Amino acid sequence: MGSSGMDILLFFTIYSFLGWMLESGFACIVHGKFINRGFLAGFFCPLYGFSAVLVLLSSEWTSSVFGSSPAAVLISILMATMLVTGLEYLTGFLLEKIFHCKWWDYSNKTANLRGYICLEYSVLWGLLAFVLLQYVHPVISSRVFLIPAEVKAYLVIAFVVYFFADAVKSVGDALNLMEVILNYANIPVIKYRENVLKYKRFFLAFPRLMVLNAGIINRDVRSILNERLNKIKIELKNRFL
């Protein structure tokens, strides 16, 4: 790959954005509306960025050991699949440990492991790794390598500062939300509803969170969000009709 540290950070940023586009685009098609599918507030999914970097580094290693033969490509894809699947498992495990709930759950999928990973998505990671290495990255890297080193340095600094600020805010918001949900019995209904609406982007990005407190009178997250949506529709209808 012949990439410097700055190149790798730029690749991480680019593929975090492309991953967010992939996830959010799919969600828009399925639900018929825009949904920010990232954990961060901005338009990035770091899991895709980390996964892409792992794929690129593993490909570089296999190429140095096995050359550019078809067998090397196959080994690279298999390694990438295992690494990305392992990263997804680790991410799901840590999120559950930190926030005391699963942010996604593959328990209903075939050949899953504790609901964090499953065979279906591992195969998908492998296909995405193949497309990345064979078609996407050659185009992206050719453009990144043309950027002057000084410009790269400014871009990297800006992105690092941004990711740090967004991560701190998003983690803080998620912790506040989980404290409200898990301790709902000690929180007034009005305050509970305010927090659900304040952090609704998490529920839209990770529908698994909606099952928490589901069915409890005045505490059902899905009902609160739907009620808010219905109020907005009524207000718009009254305004323009």
Side-chain angles (χ1 to χ4, degrees):
M1 183 168 58
S3 305
S4 65
M6 289 190 298
D7 291 331
I8 291 175
L9 287 172
L10 288 178
F11 291 145
F12 165 80
T13 303
I14 292 170
Y15 292 124
S16 293
F17 173 69
L18 293 179
W20 174 86
M21 288 186 63
L22 182 65
E23 286 276 350
S24 298
F26 179 75
C28 288
I29 294 173
V30 172
H31 301 284
K33 61 182 179 180
F34 172 75
I35 295 178
N36 181 354
R37 284 282 294 172
F39 175 82
L40 299 181
F43 304 144
F44 297 94
C45 284
L47 179 61
Y48 281 86
F50 284 118
S51 298
V53 169
L54 283 177
V55 170
L56 297 175
L57 293 177
S58 66
S59 175
E60 182 179 18
W61 180 82
T62 53
S63 296
S64 65
V65 175
F66 301 101
S68 57
S69 65
V73 175
L74 178 60
I75 293 172
S76 178
I77 297 301
L78 291 175
M79 281 189 60
T81 301
M82 290 187 292
L83 287 171
V84 175
T85 299
L87 178 61
E88 185 179 28
Y89 182 92
L90 179 62
T91 302
F93 173 80
L94 290 177
L95 283 174
E96 184 173 12
K97 287 297 182 182
I98 295 172
F99 299 106
H100 307 292
C101 75
K102 279 187 169 69
W103 288 66
W104 64 82
D105 192 356
Y106 301 146
S107 296
N108 62 335
K109 301 289 186 180
T110 302
N112 74 86
L113 182 59
R114 297 182 63 183
Y116 301 135
I117 57 176
C118 67
L119 180 61
E120 177 182 334
Y121 280 90
S122 292
V123 172
L124 177 60
W125 291 130
L127 292 175
L128 289 176
F130 175 78
V131 172
L132 172 68
L133 293 174
Q134 297 299 312
Y135 302 104
V136 178
H137 189 64
V139 176
I140 296 295
S141 60
S142 65
R143 302 298 190 274
V144 170
F145 292 152
L146 293 177
I147 301 175
E150 184 176 354
V151 176
K152 286 182 183 179
Y154 286 119
L155 288 174
V156 166
I157 292 173
F159 284 130
V160 167
V161 171
Y162 166 79
F163 275 114
F164 178 78
D166 198 340
V168 170
K169 182 182 185 305
S170 296
V171 170
D173 288 346
L175 288 172
N176 290 337
L177 174 61
M178 297 313 299
E179 183 178 359
V180 169
I181 292 178
L182 296 176
N183 297 284
Y184 69 90
N186 301 318
I187 299 174
V189 174
I190 294 178
K191 185 66 174 179
Y192 180 89
R193 294 166 68 85
E194 289 177 353
N195 279 276
V196 167
L197 294 174
K198 180 180 179 181
Y199 300 120
K200 67 179 181 179
R201 74 175 185 87
F202 286 116
F203 296 107
L204 296 176
F206 303 95
R208 170 72 183 171
L209 298 180
M210 290 188 185
V211 304
L212 299 176
N213 301 349
I216 300 177
I217 299 177
N218 296 325
R219 305 279 179 167
D220 183 17
V221 174
R222 195 180 301 274
S223 297
I224 292 173
L225 295 177
N226 288 338
E227 179 184 338
R228 176 60 176 171
L229 182 61
N230 289 333
K231 286 184 177 179
I232 293 175
K233 289 181 178 179
I234 292 173
E235 290 176 1
L236 291 174
K237 184 178 179 179
N238 292 335
R239 180 175 299 181
F240 295 104
L241 293 181

